[in-house]
Amino acid sequence: MLDNFMDTEKITAYATDWGLNLLFALIIFIVGRWLVGGAVAIARRVLSRSGMDEMLSHFVLSILHGVLLLVIVIAALNRLGVDTTSLVALIGAAGLAIGLSLQDSLKNFAAGVMLIVFRPFKAGDFVEAGGTTGVVEKINIFSSTFRTPDNREIVVPNGAIYAGVITNYSARETRRIDLLVGISYDDDIRKAKAVAEAVVKADPRVLADPEPVIAVADLADSSVNLHIRPWVKTADYFLTMCELKEKIKIAYDDNGISIPYPQTDLHVHQAAPSVLAPAAPAGTKPAQLESD
């Protein structure tokens, strides 16, 4: 009877201790989650006031939230009596195994971190990267989303982007338009340059500084090629380039300046007919004249 009473007392004490540990673990987890949310909110306000890029801020806050939440979970498990040292070692081993099986994903993750930290482009930029040309919509941890000029959405792995050449057409405020226009060798070069200069300077989108450059680029086989290089705002680049091509063509037509196309002149020389009759083949008899 006494033994049964002592066993009951031990079970009650054990249950009480375990219940208290479970209660404290829940309190640690609940309060910890609340503290993590508050810390992330404070960090969000600080990053917002510092003027950090929105995508970079979101990425940093996601990592901060995950790390702090992991600390809270480990603390709660430690309160329950779980050997957290073994748990940390287990997490490390699992992370290594997952890392070996997800090498490409980790490569994309590392490239995403580099893109967000060093920021070779940002959302809204028009870039050429990873075999794709378009406007950057989103930069995620593993991939980036582009919108092409014909309104297609393309998702490119970050590893492919960071491993190649990145051309950011929106990085600078101004861009130079490079036009190569050919004129005939019979046309007046000075007149052609003056007409092109008048067309370029008449466009209000063309910048006065730097000054447009119009010069002879090459004496080609079929034409005299002119470099026409005005500067414009980056946002005006494409439309201005297309309209200048049209305006220069119309202005050259109005001023009698031709834009030749590649051509080849073929001269055929015909030999004069011989005045001598061809010799008769050897071994033949001369023809006899018939008489009336």
Side-chain angles (χ1 to χ4, degrees):
M1 192 72 172
L2 180 61
D3 292 339
N4 292 335
F5 176 76
M6 292 180 64
D7 290 340
T8 304
E9 185 178 355
K10 288 180 180 180
I11 294 174
T12 303
Y14 178 78
T16 303
D17 292 340
W18 191 87
L20 289 175
N21 289 334
L22 179 60
L23 178 62
F24 284 129
L26 290 174
I27 292 174
I28 291 173
F29 182 74
I30 294 173
V31 175
R33 285 192 60 184
W34 179 76
L35 292 176
V36 168
V40 171
I42 293 173
R44 181 180 291 107
R45 287 196 294 269
V46 172
L47 295 178
S48 178
R49 292 175 182 175
S50 65
M52 181 179 290
D53 183 74
E54 183 179 355
M55 285 182 297
L56 178 58
S57 174
H58 178 72
F59 180 73
V60 171
L61 292 175
S62 298
I63 294 179
L64 178 62
H65 182 270
V67 171
L68 293 178
L69 193 59
L70 180 61
V71 172
I72 297 301
V73 170
I74 292 176
L77 292 176
N78 188 41
R79 181 63 187 180
L80 284 175
V82 178
D83 187 2
T84 54
T85 303
S86 302
L87 178 62
V88 172
L90 181 62
I91 292 175
L96 178 61
I98 293 173
L100 292 175
S101 62
L102 299 175
Q103 294 184 18
D104 292 338
S105 297
L106 291 179
K107 181 177 68 174
N108 291 328
F109 173 79
V113 173
M114 301 298 285
L115 289 175
I116 292 175
V117 172
F118 292 103
R119 295 197 299 175
F121 53 78
K122 62 182 184 299
D125 286 351
F126 186 79
V127 304
E128 180 180 351
T132 302
T133 302
V135 178
V136 180
E137 293 281 317
K138 291 181 294 184
I139 305 175
N140 297 320
I141 295 178
F142 295 103
S143 63
S144 297
T145 304
F146 292 79
R147 175 171 50 84
T148 62
D150 58 351
N151 207 31
R152 290 178 297 152
E153 184 177 290
I154 299 179
V155 179
V156 183
N158 288 332
I161 297 174
Y162 200 76
V165 177
I166 300 174
T167 303
N168 190 340
Y169 296 102
S170 303
R172 308 292 181 178
E173 293 184 358
T174 59
R175 284 188 64 186
R176 188 184 71 187
I177 296 175
D178 291 342
L179 299 179
L180 186 65
V181 180
I183 63 173
S184 172
Y185 273 93
D186 297 330
D187 293 326
D188 188 346
I189 295 179
R190 288 166 293 186
K191 180 180 179 181
K193 291 173 63 177
V195 171
E197 182 178 4
V199 171
V200 169
K201 291 187 175 180
D203 195 310
R205 295 164 297 188
V206 174
L207 302 177
D209 185 23
E211 187 177 358
V213 174
I214 301 175
V216 176
D218 188 24
L219 300 177
D221 295 336
S222 303
S223 63
V224 178
N225 295 330
L226 300 180
H227 271 320
I228 303 174
R229 294 178 169 178
W231 287 80
V232 295
K233 294 288 186 182
T234 300
D236 299 330
Y237 174 83
F238 183 76
L239 188 59
T240 306
M241 177 184 63
C242 295
E243 292 184 0
L244 282 180
K245 289 179 181 179
E246 179 181 354
K247 292 178 180 178
I248 291 173
K249 175 63 171 65
I250 294 174
Y252 276 3
D253 291 342
D254 293 341
N255 287 272
I257 301 173
S258 60
I259 300 179
Y261 49 87
Q263 56 184 334
T264 301
D265 294 333
L266 179 64
H267 302 277
V268 179
H269 298 278
Q270 184 176 4
S274 175
V275 296
L276 299 177
T284 58
K285 296 180 179 181
Q288 296 181 351
L289 296 177
E290 296 181 357
S291 58
D292 292 337

